[in-house]
Amino acid sequence: KVAPPLAAIMALTELIEKSTAGTMFELSGVLDKGTQQLTDRVPNSIGLNAGCELFNLFVTVATHDLGVLSDFKDKLVRQGNQYIAEAALYSEKIAGFTNGFVKDGSVILTHSHSRVVMKALLHAHKRKRISVYVTEAKPRGLGLKTHEMLTAAGIPCTVVLDSAVAYVMDKVDFVLVGSEAVVESGGLINATGSNQIAIIAKYANKPFYALAESFKFRRLFPLSQYDLPTHGPGILPFPRQVPPPTSVTNGQSPSDDLKDAGPPVSPSAGSLARKSMSAEQIALNPEVDYTKPDLISLVISDVGILTPEGVSHYLVGMFAG
């Protein structure tokens, strides 16, 4: 129920509180080890590392007035807990900002499942009539979770195949997605499929809005999908050995074989199940992708409604200060 960056801040705050470190050097070592343990526990640490970076910024700023170490640790714990309490309200603030873009009767397309997007949609539903298309978001199918929750709240919602986004885009007023992280370029890292939705929305002249709490802003500057920290040689590789082509007998071509095969047969449920991707095939695919800033209309955050350039300026100012 807690976004990974905020969960990281909660964990590191508790780590400081329980630490027995007697020197600043030891305390830094404890924080480094804790950050590494958190990162090692998850396959996709992009969002989590945003929280770790933010907590380290707290520490850096606080060391300007170090004083007695025990007092310093108490100060960090107070700052951490205060930030956690404030950050819990960020999604409400974002929902309020988003409501200004929702007109009565709006048709909205969203992708997969996002806590902050859910908050914004439920907030808008209290005041206006809305309808929502949500992508299925294979392979995890988290769009079905969004559909279930919106339907339970009385919001008309239809699940769209990931491959049918272009088909439905003409019916949509705007796209609303969440975020794993918003990077220094103003680009978006989010569940795989976000980038292609943004491309289609751009072509169809439909606004593409990304919702992001400020603790998801990260000092990364990817230029493409292959610059993401999650990308590696195990993502979408070709097999090392290609199976030999099927032999053709009696001088027949493959097309001749198809002509003799008779009319197509409707697949049974069992055969469809066999044609699903295996766990090994799924594991070769990325969990997140990168959407370039020129495809994003606005980033709606607790610190305001920002252009992608505005995100860059905010990050520079935050870490420079």
Side-chain angles (χ1 to χ4, degrees), residues 4 17 51 70 74 145 150 169 210 218 263 294 311:
E17 189 173 19
S70 59
D74 290 342
K145 178 179 180 180
L150 292 178
M169 189 61 76
R218 279 211 63 186
D294 61 318
V311 173

Side-chain angles (χ1 to χ4, degrees), residues 105-109 133 160 164-175 197 199-207:
S106 288
V107 178
I108 303 165
L109 172 65
Y133 286 115
V160 179
V165 169
Y167 188 97
V168 80
M169 189 61 76
D170 284 342
K171 288 189 173 185
V172 170
D173 291 308
F174 60 87
V175 179
I197 293 173
I199 292 170
I200 295 167
K202 183 81 169 181
Y203 180 81
N205 292 318
K206 300 297 174 74

Side-chain angles (χ1 to χ4, degrees), residues 159-201:
V159 180
V160 179
L161 289 170
D162 298 325
S163 53
V165 169
Y167 188 97
V168 80
M169 189 61 76
D170 284 342
K171 288 189 173 185
V172 170
D173 291 308
F174 60 87
V175 179
L176 205 62
V177 300
S179 56
E180 289 277 334
V182 180
V183 296
E184 201 163 355
S185 63
L188 173 72
I189 300 175
N190 197 38
T192 301
S194 301
N195 182 47
Q196 63 191 22
I197 293 173
I199 292 170
I200 295 167

Side-chain angles (χ1 to χ4, degrees), residues 8 33 45 100 126 128 140 203 205 209 212 231 233 269 287 305:
K33 185 177 180 181
S45 62
K126 293 177 183 177
K128 300 165 185 176
R140 297 176 68 190
Y203 180 81
N205 292 318
Y209 302 131
H231 182 77
E287 288 189 11
I305 301 168

Side-chain angles (χ1 to χ4, degrees), residues 255-270:
S255 59
D256 293 331
D257 291 336
L258 290 175
K259 289 175 186 176
D260 297 335
V265 180
S266 298
S268 65

Side-chain angles (χ1 to χ4, degrees), residues 25-64:
F25 179 78
E26 290 176 349
L27 186 63
S28 296
V30 167
L31 280 175
D32 289 343
K33 185 177 180 181
T35 298
Q36 190 61 51
Q37 285 181 324
L38 288 171
T39 302
D40 292 343
R41 294 289 179 90
V42 293
N44 170 23
S45 62
I46 288 177
L48 187 143
N49 280 339
C52 293
E53 283 182 3
L54 189 55
F55 192 86
N56 286 328
L57 180 62
F58 293 161
V59 175
T60 302
V61 172
T63 51
H64 296 319

